[in-house]
Amino acid sequence: MDNNNTKKQNIYISEEERTLDWIDIQAAFKRTFGNEIYTSWLQKISLVKEYNDYLILSVPTRFFRDWIVSRYLDKILEQVKVFKLSLNRIEFKIIDDNKNNSDLILKTDEINKVTTIKDSILNYNRLNPNLNFESFVQGKSNDIALSYSKKICEHISRYNPLYICGGVGLGKTHLLNAIGLELQSENNVMFISAERFMYHFIKSIKKNDMVNFKDFFRKSSIFIIDDIQFIRGKESLQEEFFHTFNSLIDKNSQIIISSDRAPMKLDRVQERIKSRLAGGLVVDIDIPDLELKVKIIKKKIIEMQSQFKENINLSEDVINYIANESKTNIRELIGILNRVIAFSRVHNKDLTINDCKNILKDVFSQMKVITVDKIQNVVSNYFNIPLSDMLSQRRSRPLARPRQLAMYLAKKMTTRSLPEIGRRFANRDHTTVIHAVKTITRLSEQDDEMKKNINQIKSLLQE
Ligand code: ADP
Ligand code: MG
């Protein structure tokens, strides 16, 4: 088990360090979005700069950027993640080819400045100035988490650690970031995701530089770590985290943690860590009710009005419709709102509920909850092979193709990361998943039978 882990982590790093080939990615865009969307929009995007966890892409105009962001950003990110897992953000620069002027030169300069700190840990310690308490809307589902987050800022280390848990897209990162912003002027704030923590941990081991690593993380007076569930099953990372945690607590540093589940529900995490995590205050964030969703929509509209410097009119009916239709989380709610607003700006009209229905038709059909389990079951039924055979290590084509197809669908239709998918397929490595995604993508273009299979399985999954 331990061996297995070490091996995975090493490969993980090498993938992390890989640089992107934009031509490959453009080809993937073309496949995913189809020729029409590709030539009108995506072809015009170029890669300006690549960092470990984000990309800067260029677009010709502001309108172009807004349109891409509101309609395609999620999918673009999903596609580039197939090539480089560690990416989690995309930023756009408006670079007008026709205006080859000082503006552009300035931008290149700016980029060069950033490059010099490219690999430093500090580069990942950035707080997003927009995710503050001001922009966080209070509701029944997040009331307790919000009020304790604020209390922490007044009285450091009264509740230690503060552990915020809740499902995806409910505002955990937003709250953590808000705490960091609030405290950063008077404290040494460290804000990092558990995934990044591991990245630096492994890198330090490789460079034989653990002393610096330990120093760096242990000197913070406020240590904020996002998505701690990432440490599940990673023994050596847990070990290091445990020591960091203890030494921070010893010197009264405040620790704030987020997770997608309660401490005691963290399977494959050492008991002693779980009990430390639960030893302070645990608060959770629930699914938002209608009232909160409406409040968030209204707040976002005001934000966008000042950002775009133009009026955005959505009727109460439309606002209620959007709030009612978005069932799962706030990230999704904002995504839907962005789409609706982009449409109304482009067509320059006030929207009716019917317009919204049309705009959101594809969005909602994509939103049925599809899990890796469900995909595995549907695929093995479809090909009439036992699930255990499909997951087994046997490599005969009648088993390997369905297996690859199931991995491909898991990547395309769920939010699971490549390593997570690999694990769900009898502990395969994430590179196997990447290979499967590439193979099936290629076959789906060349082979009509494969195309048909994919479409049929997709519709079975939507049922
Ligand atoms: P999580 O970390 O729980 O997955 P995030 O903090 O990333 O979720 O939130 C997803 C999106 O929803 C972000 O854009 C965030 O700003 C927004 N959001 C979440 N909760 C609220 C809230 N109560 N008020 C305003 N925006 C929110
Ligand atoms: Mg988050």
Side-chain angles (χ1 to χ4, degrees):
M1 183 69 202
D2 243 340
N3 264 341
N4 217 348
N5 266 331
T6 322
K7 188 170 142 230
K8 263 189 210 136
Q9 289 166 355
N10 284 335
I11 292 170
Y12 177 89
I13 281 294
S14 61
E15 203 240 353
E16 180 117 18
E17 282 164 356
R18 208 164 68 192
T19 53
L20 290 171
D21 183 342
W22 192 245
I23 294 172
D24 271 359
I25 296 182
Q26 287 275 3
F29 286 164
K30 196 168 175 178
R31 285 193 298 268
T32 314
F33 293 93
N35 226 346
E36 199 181 322
I37 295 177
Y38 175 73
T39 40
S40 5
W41 299 102
L42 301 163
Q43 195 174 24
K44 302 191 174 84
I45 305 178
S46 341
L47 176 63
V48 177
K49 192 82 196 167
E50 174 187 349
Y51 296 96
N52 278 325
D53 68 336
Y54 76 106
L55 294 182
I56 301 180
L57 303 181
S58 79
V59 286
T61 62
R62 213 168 77 132
F63 168 75
F64 195 101
R65 178 199 61 197
D66 296 343
W67 184 255
I68 298 263
V69 168
S70 65
R71 304 194 58 126
Y72 307 124
L73 187 60
D74 294 354
K75 276 211 160 144
I76 291 177
L77 186 59
E78 191 183 292
Q79 284 300 313
V80 293
K81 275 173 90 79
V82 170
F83 293 86
K84 188 173 167 189
L85 177 69
S86 59
L87 291 170
N88 56 31
R89 194 157 57 90
I90 290 176
E91 280 177 14
F92 290 95
K93 291 246 171 203
I94 297 155
I95 299 180
D96 186 347
D97 276 348
N98 302 324
K99 266 198 279 165
N100 191 4
N101 54 20
S102 56
D103 208 24
L104 182 61
I105 295 163
L106 192 79
K107 278 176 181 135
T108 326
D109 258 13
E110 246 173 58
I111 291 161
N112 287 341
K113 233 181 272 160
V114 189
T115 319
T116 56
I117 54 163
K118 183 176 167 192
D119 257 347
S120 93
I121 297 177
L122 281 174
N123 204 26
Y124 304 107
N125 191 23
R126 275 177 314 198
L127 292 160
N128 179 339
N130 300 319
L131 302 178
N132 49 38
F133 283 127
E134 187 89 313
S135 62
F136 192 86
V137 184
Q138 178 183 16
K140 285 199 194 79
S141 53
N142 61 31
D143 193 29
I144 295 176
L146 175 61
S147 70
Y148 282 103
S149 298
K150 286 184 171 163
K151 273 194 190 139
I152 285 288
C153 298
E154 287 157 19
H155 290 281
I156 285 168
S157 77
R158 180 188 286 182
Y159 309 100
N160 214 358
L162 175 67
Y163 184 103
I164 302 176
C165 54
V168 38
L170 297 182
K172 300 182 298 295
T173 303
H174 191 141
L175 273 184
L176 258 48
N177 197 98
I179 297 173
L181 287 173
E182 197 69 25
L183 293 173
Q184 71 176 351
S185 60
E186 302 195 352
N187 299 277
N188 181 358
V189 173
M190 165 57 62
F191 174 59
I192 194 164
S193 69
E195 191 172 3
R196 277 277 136 212
F197 184 76
M198 160 150 135
Y199 172 65
H200 290 294
F201 172 54
I202 309 243
K203 210 162 153 181
S204 309
I205 294 177
K206 275 172 100 183
K207 289 203 314 206
N208 211 356
D209 193 17
M210 276 310 286
V211 176
N212 258 333
F213 174 89
K214 284 181 199 292
D215 268 11
F216 189 83
F217 286 102
R218 290 172 196 194
K219 73 172 186 250
S220 56
S221 58
I222 310 288
F223 184 67
I224 308 176
I225 186 155
D226 202 4
D227 289 323
I228 195 73
Q229 72 276 3
F230 185 81
I231 68 172
R232 287 157 61 230
K234 303 183 176 72
E235 276 298 323
S236 52
L237 181 67
Q238 289 181 24
E239 201 63 36
E240 186 55 37
F241 174 73
F242 183 71
H243 295 305
T244 306
F245 185 100
N246 287 342
S247 70
L248 287 167
I249 293 275
D250 279 350
K251 57 179 209 116
N252 277 333
S253 294
Q254 173 71 49
I255 302 178
I256 304 118
I257 296 166
S258 83
S259 172
D260 67 351
R261 64 199 81 190
M264 289 309 168
K265 296 224 166 99
L266 289 166
D267 54 310
R268 295 182 293 140
V269 169
Q270 297 170 11
E271 286 303 320
R272 58 180 189 164
I273 293 185
K274 288 198 263 197
S275 67
R276 289 291 152 107
L277 295 178
L281 181 72
V282 178
V283 290
D284 57 29
I285 308 186
D286 222 328
I287 295 187
D289 59 10
L290 189 66
E291 194 188 335
L292 175 58
K293 287 190 279 189
V294 168
K295 263 163 81 180
I296 290 176
I297 294 176
K298 291 186 173 164
K299 178 129 192 171
K300 284 278 155 199
I301 292 176
I302 295 172
E303 276 173 27
M304 285 188 223
Q305 277 177 339
S306 69
Q307 184 194 341
F308 296 143
K309 303 205 172 31
E310 63 184 59
N311 233 357
I312 294 169
N313 279 324
L314 289 191
S315 68
E316 286 289 323
D317 278 357
V318 166
I319 291 176
N320 274 313
Y321 174 79
I322 298 172
N324 254 316
E325 287 299 307
S326 157
K327 309 267 188 252
T328 47
N329 68 57
I330 296 170
R331 183 174 300 138
E332 171 200 287
L333 178 76
I334 295 171
I336 291 174
L337 181 66
N338 281 336
R339 249 179 220 233
V340 169
I341 288 177
F343 185 90
S344 102
R345 293 180 72 221
V346 170
H347 295 274
N348 203 6
K349 65 178 278 205
D350 292 346
L351 297 180
T352 63
I353 291 191
N354 239 341
D355 293 326
C356 290
K357 275 192 188 148
N358 284 330
I359 301 166
L360 302 180
K361 226 173 12 205
D362 348 326
V363 187
F364 289 131
S365 68
Q366 288 163 15
M367 274 177 192
K368 288 229 172 221
V369 182
I370 292 172
T371 60
V372 177
D373 279 344
K374 187 166 173 189
I375 292 172
Q376 290 176 339
N377 281 314
V378 170
V379 172
S380 69
N381 274 338
Y382 181 86
F383 290 104
N384 207 8
I385 50 177
L387 182 58
S388 54
D389 285 2
M390 190 176 88
L391 298 181
S392 72
Q393 301 299 329
R394 283 157 56 195
R395 288 165 183 235
S396 67
R397 176 151 303 177
L399 297 178
R401 275 288 180 268
R403 181 184 303 138
Q404 289 179 319
L405 180 51
M407 288 184 195
Y408 164 90
L409 291 171
K411 181 62 212 153
K412 298 278 169 190
M413 301 180 85
T414 75
T415 54
R416 300 275 162 221
S417 66
L418 295 164
E420 276 178 292
I421 294 172
R423 220 176 296 129
R424 305 290 285 276
F425 282 80
N427 250 335
R428 286 179 163 79
D429 196 79
H430 79 277
T431 50
T432 312
V433 185
I434 293 177
H435 177 70
V437 172
K438 284 191 176 161
T439 308
I440 301 296
T441 306
R442 179 170 46 78
L443 287 175
S444 70
E445 286 166 14
Q446 299 165 350
D447 180 350
D448 286 340
E449 184 67 16
M450 179 58 88
K451 212 179 288 173
K452 195 186 85 199
N453 290 341
I454 292 177
N455 284 334
Q456 286 181 346
I457 294 170
K458 274 189 177 162
S459 58
L460 287 171
L461 284 163
Q462 303 283 0
E463 275 173 25

